[in-house]
Amino acid sequence: MNDDTFLTHVADGLAALPAVHAVTLGGSRAQDTHGPGSDWDFAVYYRGGFDPADLRATGWDGEVSEIGAWGGGVFNGGAWLTIDGRQVDVHYRDLDAVEHQLAEARQGRFHWEPLMFHLAGVPSYLPVAELAVNRVLRGDLPRPDYPEALRETAPAMWRNRAELTLRYTRGAFVPRGQATEVAGALATAAMETAHAVLAARGEWVTNEKRLLQRAGLREMDTILAGLRADVLAKAVDEAEALFRTV
């Protein structure tokens, strides 16, 4: 199958699942930033009793999780599949939960959640960001603008997390000469600061892959490249100074 035929094939298969109201394409392919080897990110928006067994019954190769298996929060489950030789991710999106987070974001309310493969974790408004940037393939979904209330509340929260991360690093890791822990903490604080920068601009974030570049924080590479046990405090100072410039 060519890409267009493949997209139609997968979208039709997912849309036919019981309880599914909409299907979207996300990730780099939705934003035309993908390369030849990029995977395909889909989401199924369901209401009521979605059963992962119905996804398994399609016969597509791969691993299909139960609902809640990925932590039960913003990312409540999904599948890693191989379809026609292509790598495909499918995310579960409960429409009731998504609509709740949309209403919360419009009031400037959200919370933070840990998530694997995300250094800084994710905000609960991530499903709202997906509505805004992903491509709807089947069904109808809202396409929200970035709420002004969220631009007021989100930057301060992310900046505060970054400041606390640096403060803890100075007190716990630097005096012990723990370069690995300092490196991890600085990377986390950089991502937290980048979230703050993008939130202040009213720009949606759905993952961390290009987050530092978008926020103008790619200089963190230089700071971390020079990290040694005898310059840990200096590296924290340099990171803190960089964060103040964005």
Side-chain angles (χ1 to χ4, degrees), residues 122-134:
V122 296
S124 57
Y125 56 78
L126 185 145
V128 185
E130 292 176 337
L131 290 177
V133 303
N134 288 359

Side-chain angles (χ1 to χ4, degrees), residues 192-241:
E192 291 164 340
T193 302
H195 270 288
V197 171
L198 273 293
R201 294 179 191 163
E203 296 181 19
W204 294 111
V205 174
T206 56
N207 60 59
E208 294 180 340
K209 293 177 182 177
R210 296 178 178 84
L211 185 52
L212 292 186
Q213 183 172 347
R214 291 174 64 191
L217 287 169
R218 205 67 264 174
E219 189 180 333
M220 281 301 300
D221 293 340
T222 302
I223 295 173
L224 291 175
L227 202 62
R228 303 187 312 271
D230 60 330
V231 295
L232 298 184
K234 180 174 180 288
V236 176
D237 290 342
E238 290 175 346
E240 189 172 46

Side-chain angles (χ1 to χ4, degrees), residues 46-125:
Y46 63 89
R47 199 181 299 279
F50 176 75
D51 189 347
D54 294 321
L55 180 54
R56 294 189 190 98
T58 61
W60 290 329
D61 291 335
E63 178 182 342
V64 178
S65 83
E66 296 302 319
I67 292 177
W70 292 1
V74 165
F75 271 74
N76 68 335
W80 294 301
L81 306 172
T82 301
I83 304 174
D84 193 46
R86 295 168 167 90
Q87 298 303 306
V88 173
D89 294 345
V90 179
H91 297 155
Y92 305 154
R93 291 290 178 264
D94 184 328
L95 271 170
D96 290 337
V98 171
E99 289 167 356
H100 171 73
Q101 296 304 338
L102 175 57
E104 289 288 282
R106 284 172 170 162
Q107 297 299 316
R109 295 190 295 263
F110 66 98
H111 63 270
W112 172 90
E113 294 181 3
L115 183 65
M116 286 187 69
F117 318 124
H118 290 69
L119 291 174
V122 296
S124 57
Y125 56 78

